[in-house]
Amino acid sequence: MKIVALDIQTLFPEAEDDNCFEINEQELGRLCGADDELICCRNMNVNHFGSMERLNEAVATAIANADVVITNKVKLNKANLNAGIKLILVSGTGTNNITFADTDALGIRVQNCVAYGVNSVVQHTLGLMLSLINNITVADRHVRQGDWSRSENFCICRYFFPLELKSSTIGIIGCGAIGRGVAEAASALGMKVLLAERRGAQQIRDGRTAFEEVLAESDVISVHCPLTPQTAGLISDRELSLMKRNAYLINVARGGVVDEHALYRALTEKRIAGAATDVLTEEPPRENILLSDLDNLIVTPHIAWGSRNARMEIIRQMSVHIAELKKAATA
């Protein structure tokens, strides 16, 4: 069986090492049998190839004779797929890079990984929230620039943090495994938790709070929903205007869920207190307004999912699906 991994290097501890796949032979062994051929591609992105057309050509060539294709962010559609592919494995939860109309037409099964990084993303969400509210990153940066050394006081008061979590409210948008995990962790910190109903819902389910009410009452909004046509631009000017002026927005879902220009306006005009995001609409970003130097914004490079435990769980799940494919082939 030929397995082609288009951007699997992010799974392994030595992800930036050219020999990362050989270094992690034990982990790769979970994917491959003795008779399998594994081909691992690098630089399968538009930045490297210069255009989507050239990238699609490279992807099509790489997977021309593949039985299994593994992707994380590389887009797969009729421009690069072929009918010989039996299985596409998405080494993550989100499948917005797959055009299902095209895979269905070719009879290709698509399987993502589920609940592999719940603990990892919950941990990063808390880290972003604490860093943002407690002014940790901006205070550290300004200390290294000499602000504390030039101060006449033993502390710098302008970095005092305004909010204690124990007396605050967090609104969770997206109540899957990660959203529930964040809710549990926030409750342990003494926060009041509001689980948002879907925007525009006519009925409010038990345990949920109306979308607009969550925005208006929360001190922290934490976004954990998938990117779909219904959630694209879910947080924009109107939604940000409903938030408290001293509220914070955390996005560890997908960049397109939050209107980045609307968020930039809200931050620069101080209509909300701050924001932190682990995701952007274009990744890696060539240009993005949120890469501006704002003290009330934290941006991390899509790393919330990436604990070693989470990456090894992805490998385990993918190995199960490959084993199922082999079993079906010999049945």
Side-chain angles (χ1 to χ4, degrees), residues 17 222 224 259 279:
D17 192 309
S222 194
H224 303 285
D259 183 324
V279 287

Side-chain angles (χ1 to χ4, degrees), residues 36-271:
D36 292 329
E37 177 187 8
L38 176 67
I39 297 176
C40 299
C41 305
R42 296 178 66 87
N43 300 318
M44 285 293 184
N45 57 69
V46 174
N47 285 359
H48 180 74
F49 285 95
S51 70
M52 183 59 70
E53 182 179 4
R54 292 179 62 188
L55 173 59
N56 281 331
E57 290 173 356
V59 171
T61 299
I63 66 177
N65 299 306
D67 299 291
V68 178
V69 176
I70 301 174
T71 183
N72 189 306
K73 295 294 180 291
V74 176
K75 295 180 179 180
L76 295 176
N77 49 53
K78 63 183 179 182
N80 49 43
L81 292 172
N82 66 81
I85 298 167
K86 301 175 181 66
L87 175 64
I88 294 173
L89 293 174
V90 180
S91 58
T93 300
T95 56
N96 51 292
N97 58 319
I98 308 296
T99 302
F100 283 93
D102 297 334
T103 57
D104 291 345
L106 293 170
I108 302 172
R109 175 188 165 199
V110 179
Q111 181 66 56
N112 65 338
C113 295
V114 297
Y116 65 89
V118 172
N119 295 332
S120 179
V121 178
V122 169
Q123 180 173 313
H124 196 73
T125 301
L126 292 180
L128 289 175
M129 182 169 64
L130 291 167
S131 294
L132 182 64
I133 294 172
N134 285 40
N135 290 322
I136 290 174
T137 54
V138 65
D140 174 77
R141 182 167 69 251
H142 288 202
V143 164
R144 295 176 188 279
Q145 293 171 355
D147 283 16
W148 197 12
S149 301
R150 292 188 292 268
S151 175
E152 296 180 357
N153 298 313
F154 75 95
C155 66
I156 303 181
C157 301
R158 70 175 179 272
Y159 299 128
F160 285 168
F161 44 93
L163 188 68
E164 287 190 354
L165 298 183
K166 190 172 183 179
S167 60
S168 64
T169 298
I170 184 170
I172 309 291
I173 297 177
C175 302
I178 293 172
R180 293 193 301 270
V182 171
E184 182 180 357
S187 295
L189 293 172
M191 300 182 77
K192 177 183 177 181
V193 175
L194 299 178
L195 302 179
E197 184 54 90
R198 293 186 181 93
R199 182 178 63 178
Q202 298 300 308
Q203 293 184 331
I204 308 301
R205 289 169 284 178
D206 290 343
R208 303 292 180 96
T209 302
F211 183 79
E212 289 79 5
E213 187 177 340
V214 169
L215 292 174
E217 293 189 6
S218 298
D219 301 294
V220 179
I221 297 291
S222 194
V223 182
H224 303 285
C225 55
L227 179 60
T228 67
Q230 291 72 38
T231 63
L234 181 69
I235 305 296
S236 192
D237 287 299
R238 177 182 175 274
E239 290 72 30
L240 291 165
S241 70
L242 295 175
M243 292 173 60
K244 298 177 181 179
R245 294 186 71 87
N246 59 347
Y248 299 86
L249 177 68
I250 312 292
N251 183 15
V252 292
R254 286 290 184 268
V257 175
V258 176
D259 183 324
E260 292 168 343
H261 288 272
L263 178 58
Y264 178 81
R265 289 190 292 271
L267 291 171
T268 54
E269 296 168 10
K270 303 296 176 66
R271 289 189 278 113

